[in-house]
Amino acid sequence: MHCSPSVTRTRASKPATRVLLPALGRYTPVAAAIFSILRGVHAAETPAEESSGGVLEEVTVTATKRSEDQQSVPISIQALSSKGLEQMNVQSFNDYAQTLTSVTFQSAEPGHAIVSMRGISSGSGGNSSGSLPTVGMYLDEQPITTIQGAIDVHMYDIARVEVLPGPQGTLYGASSESGTIKVITNKPDPSHFAAGYDLQGNTIKNGTAGGIVEGFVNMPLSSDIAARVVGWYERDSGYIDNVFGTVTSNGHTFDNAPFVKKHFNSVETYGGRAALKVDLNDNWSITPMVMAQNTKDTGIFAQEYWKALNIGPAFDPDLKVRQFAENFSKDNWVDAALTVQGKIGNFDITYAGAFLKRDTHGASDYADYEFAYQQYTQYWPADYGFVNFPSNTYQQFNNELRIASPKEYPVRFVGGLYQQRQLQNIYNNIATPANDRPQYEVGYPNPPTGYGGTEYLLDEQRVNRDSAVFGELTWDVTSKLSLLGGIRRFKFDNSLEGFYGFGPNAFATTAPPPLVPGGPPGPGGISGQQTCFTTTVWHGTAPCENIRTSTSGTGWTPKFNVSYKIDNQHLIYATYSKGFRPGGVNRTNGAPPYTSDFLKNYEVGWKTMWLDNSLRLNGSLYYEQWNNFQFTFKGQFGIPAIANAGNAAVKGADLSLEWAATRDLTLRASATYSDAYLTENYCGALAANGKPVTTNPCVLPGKTPFAPLAPQGTKLPGTPKVKTSAGARYVFPVMDWEGHVAGDVVYQTSVSPQLRVVDTRILGQQPAYAITNLFLGVEKNGLSVELLVKNAFDRRASLYRYANCGTVDCGPVATYEVVAPPRLIGLQLGQRF
């Protein structure tokens, strides 16, 4: 699929080029010219009487929770093999997600990507109090999906990445509503010793030097026991400059001189993985594994797209930003997992349990938020800044026990039990030093002791519980025709409790009218603390509790599939599947819970091999209905709120091709077309029965009718209508070394940054872009040297566009654009033993 395929070199009397090129060349002059060139290259490489062709190797996947050949599984699968990941120099989530045409993402910083598939995106998510993701992320057998975004696993010593577009609600459950991404690690192998290392030095435009050090060792400890240890360290240079700027607000002028810095957004990542495999006997084995990673980044990863705060001269915003406070983020996580595999008779038994702990915290400039609302600027110390200190800790437990009958049986099944509990502590402290504003609280209800500098405090605990029983049954009606039926019965129970408030104008706070027109509010306001319904100090750091709410529900997600094997190399299929995302609760009083949303998928597809297994051509056509989808928007004072937003639909197609054109030349290409749009008007409001209002104009009791915030037909945000990926790799002799030259290019059309019309109008449409990567290297006896150039033409690809608070409030003041990192040139040395 989307990878540089492994090729088996064979001798053939009629190679692929001699059969396919003349046939295709008859259809179009352009194709004829291209294939003529390729045919000429091939002819120059080998004599006509000794033509050579390549054969694509089999790709094994575990998409159905069995190990099977990708071509025999009647669902859409995109796979990146271990060799493909190495050949494309994949280091992070962004690297491989760029090449997968069914995957799109929005990310303001490393480790916080909001992932979507096939256009199923409402332009929301990633907020610590937001909806669960629509795409499930797995590391081997365990889910690593957290509310704030996909964990960014450093991609080294990875067996493969499997991408399953479309609802995977039967086998993978919640948060696999629109698809699943599985990162499969290399396991310990007691049969042989293996080790390797890779070293890379690089430099990036508008930055400094960076580098990567990676290594692994596989150690047999006996004939039945092996250990595998992996480690890595990576430093990425910053390329965004924080430049000098001034701002005037509330009659006071400030500058950001203490925070001016070049290469503002550097990243440092280090971590390791250790696994042990013990074969207890011929049938049973246990594999414990622990993996940990620490990432620290500074600055922000966006350039200014539009900023009206500065009163000084205009400046070139290319890779530049003006921040008025410290910015940093730390993302530390540990994942411990245990997998037990065995047999009872002929039936496979698998237990997979895991515990994931993730801690994210940092500091961010909140000046845009402050200036938009003009609240506290006159008390802002110039050398400190108005700073937000967000912090989130996650603890996720999950267990799965399943049984599978032999895959050779004409009637076979896989089924199991699943349980997960995710606990999240949310902490957000917006503060200025209390001693810098001695008269500030006159006329206000003061925060309690210990919170003298706090303008707003959020200290809440969120618990999501999910349990399910699931199964799929397949019946081979004939040697060619197979039927599959599956179902998952799920139950969820989500709760939120804690404290939010302070500040005279914070949400959950009432502010009295000013004593003097235009002056500060008078005495008598009610702070967040005064809205507490208990005098007991909450178990967090907040003084008390003023929110406690929960929601629960149950449901079914079915799946039906029919497949027909024309022969061993050609298969067609049709699928109906359903995915879901649990409902949840809002973090502020007065905002009602939101219900589960569901995605129905109708799909037909094909998997084919041609030309003596040298050409793989797979594809699918699909139509999806997204019902009552959850939409997060920033309401009053930028506080996120979630509501069900009506219905949407997606019409699309996937196509992928891999071709071993010769034994030395491999080509790949893939494309995804997704036309994702609203099928109802979005009004951003609920009727008395709790259902979303979808009329035009929008009508609420006692309210003036208003136009829909996003009318029927509005395109869903964050997803291009067309995304393509293509690559080529050619190997050739260099004395007694094997040389290679390779390249890949990713192209996508424009996207809307948000769903609501007003947000898109303010933020602007993100334009189309193309990114090209080039590679040149040699290899001999396990030793390799490679020169790589990423973003070779230095394109400013617009990956994400946002405002720091509500778009209507902050967007006209300050909008930021995350762009693809500029051109990077690196030299890499690797060796395998």
Side-chain angles (χ1 to χ4, degrees), residues 18 21 50 193 220 227 237 463 475 498 505 529 539 651 730 833:
R18 302 186 74 182
L21 298 179
E50 288 190 338
F193 172 85
S237 168
V463 180
W475 174 30
N505 289 309
Q529 187 188 9
H539 61 81
K651 301 174 184 177
Y730 180 71
F833 303 97

Side-chain angles (χ1 to χ4, degrees), residues 197-257:
Y197 67 86
D198 289 275
L199 308 173
Q200 183 186 125
N202 58 58
T203 181
I204 193 169
K205 182 178 179 181
N206 203 51
T208 59
I212 305 173
V213 179
E214 304 164 314
F216 78 92
V217 59
N218 181 86
M219 300 175 292
L221 304 179
S222 72
S223 60
D224 301 319
I225 304 175
R228 196 175 190 99
V229 180
V230 187
W232 58 87
Y233 171 83
E234 179 177 1
R235 183 192 180 277
D236 299 327
S237 168
Y239 49 85
I240 300 292
D241 294 338
N242 192 30
V243 299
F244 182 81
T246 61
V247 64
T248 296
S249 182
N250 268 336
H252 295 259
T253 299
F254 303 93
D255 65 56
N256 65 345

Side-chain angles (χ1 to χ4, degrees), residues 549-625:
T549 183
S550 64
T551 187
S552 60
T554 60
W556 302 87
T557 52
K559 177 181 177 180
F560 302 99
N561 176 278
V562 56
S563 61
Y564 186 79
K565 187 181 296 184
I566 299 172
D567 54 40
N568 289 334
Q569 294 185 322
H570 303 86
L571 177 148
I572 56 176
Y573 66 87
T575 299
Y576 166 78
S577 58
K578 188 176 182 180
F580 77 100
R581 182 168 49 161
V585 293
N586 280 292
R587 82 183 204 191
T588 55
N589 287 315
Y594 50 93
T595 61
S596 300
D597 57 16
F598 293 88
L599 181 67
K600 298 177 181 178
N601 176 58
Y602 306 86
E603 180 175 340
V604 295
W606 59 92
K607 295 193 168 183
T608 62
M609 297 290 292
W610 306 86
L611 303 176
D612 297 326
N613 292 324
S614 67
L615 177 66
R616 180 182 293 126
L617 180 63
N618 296 342
S620 65
L621 305 172
Y622 55 88
Y623 175 73
E624 298 183 340
Q625 293 177 318

Side-chain angles (χ1 to χ4, degrees), residues 338-355:
L338 175 66
T339 303
V340 180
Q341 294 176 303
K343 285 183 177 292
I344 297 179
N346 291 330
F347 291 82
D348 295 321
I349 307 296
T350 301
Y351 166 76
F355 170 68

Side-chain angles (χ1 to χ4, degrees), residues 157-204:
D157 193 44
I158 300 298
R160 65 187 177 276
V161 174
E162 299 177 17
V163 179
L164 316 178
Q168 305 297 324
T170 303
L171 292 181
Y172 295 95
S175 292
S176 286
E177 183 177 37
S178 65
T180 301
I181 298 176
K182 301 178 66 176
V183 177
I184 311 298
T185 61
N186 283 321
K187 304 302 186 294
D189 186 351
S191 67
H192 67 282
F193 172 85
Y197 67 86
D198 289 275
L199 308 173
Q200 183 186 125
N202 58 58
T203 181
I204 193 169

Side-chain angles (χ1 to χ4, degrees), residues 68-274:
E68 299 177 279
D69 174 19
Q70 171 186 323
Q71 292 301 103
S72 68
V73 182
I75 62 174
S76 179
I77 304 174
Q78 300 173 323
L80 293 167
S81 68
S82 179
K83 183 174 288 187
L85 293 167
E86 290 183 7
Q87 290 176 352
M88 291 188 292
N89 200 261
V90 169
Q91 301 290 341
S92 66
F93 169 82
N94 286 18
D95 287 341
Y96 68 80
Q98 281 280 8
T99 69
L100 298 165
T101 58
S102 64
V103 176
T104 56
F105 63 95
Q106 296 176 319
S107 178
E109 61 182 319
H112 293 77
I114 307 305
V115 191
S116 60
M117 287 191 188
R118 290 184 170 179
I120 300 301
S121 169
S122 60
S124 57
N127 186 278
S128 57
S129 302
S131 302
L132 288 170
T134 62
V135 174
M137 292 288 298
Y138 275 70
L139 178 63
D140 293 325
E141 291 282 351
Q142 67 268 21
I144 55 172
T145 309
T146 65
I147 298 166
Q148 201 162 357
I151 285 181
D152 196 348
V153 178
H154 184 81
M155 301 299 291
Y156 186 70
D157 193 44
I158 300 298
R160 65 187 177 276
V161 174
E162 299 177 17
V163 179
L164 316 178
Q168 305 297 324
T170 303
L171 292 181
Y172 295 95
S175 292
S176 286
E177 183 177 37
S178 65
T180 301
I181 298 176
K182 301 178 66 176
V183 177
I184 311 298
T185 61
N186 283 321
K187 304 302 186 294
D189 186 351
S191 67
H192 67 282
F193 172 85
Y197 67 86
D198 289 275
L199 308 173
Q200 183 186 125
N202 58 58
T203 181
I204 193 169
K205 182 178 179 181
N206 203 51
T208 59
I212 305 173
V213 179
E214 304 164 314
F216 78 92
V217 59
N218 181 86
M219 300 175 292
L221 304 179
S222 72
S223 60
D224 301 319
I225 304 175
R228 196 175 190 99
V229 180
V230 187
W232 58 87
Y233 171 83
E234 179 177 1
R235 183 192 180 277
D236 299 327
S237 168
Y239 49 85
I240 300 292
D241 294 338
N242 192 30
V243 299
F244 182 81
T246 61
V247 64
T248 296
S249 182
N250 268 336
H252 295 259
T253 299
F254 303 93
D255 65 56
N256 65 345
F259 311 106
V260 170
K261 184 179 180 181
K262 293 181 69 64
H263 323 310
F264 193 41
N265 59 323
S266 62
V267 184
E268 186 177 50
T269 302
Y270 59 92
R273 184 176 80 243

Side-chain angles (χ1 to χ4, degrees), residues 693-767:
V693 177
T694 59
T695 57
N696 188 4
C698 304
V699 179
L700 289 173
K703 302 291 185 179
T704 302
F706 59 95
L709 304 181
Q712 179 180 349
T714 299
K715 302 301 180 185
L716 297 185
T719 300
K721 184 167 286 190
V722 177
K723 183 179 179 182
T724 64
S725 175
R729 183 179 178 89
Y730 180 71
V731 299
F732 53 90
V734 181
M735 295 185 289
D736 57 345
W737 292 66
E738 182 181 89
H740 69 264
V741 59
D744 59 72
V745 59
V746 174
Y747 169 80
Q748 71 173 45
T749 56
S750 63
V751 302
S752 297
Q754 293 291 333
L755 177 67
R756 300 191 305 178
V757 173
V758 62
D759 295 334
T760 298
R761 184 174 66 248
I762 293 172
L763 297 177
Q765 194 85 353
Q766 295 175 228

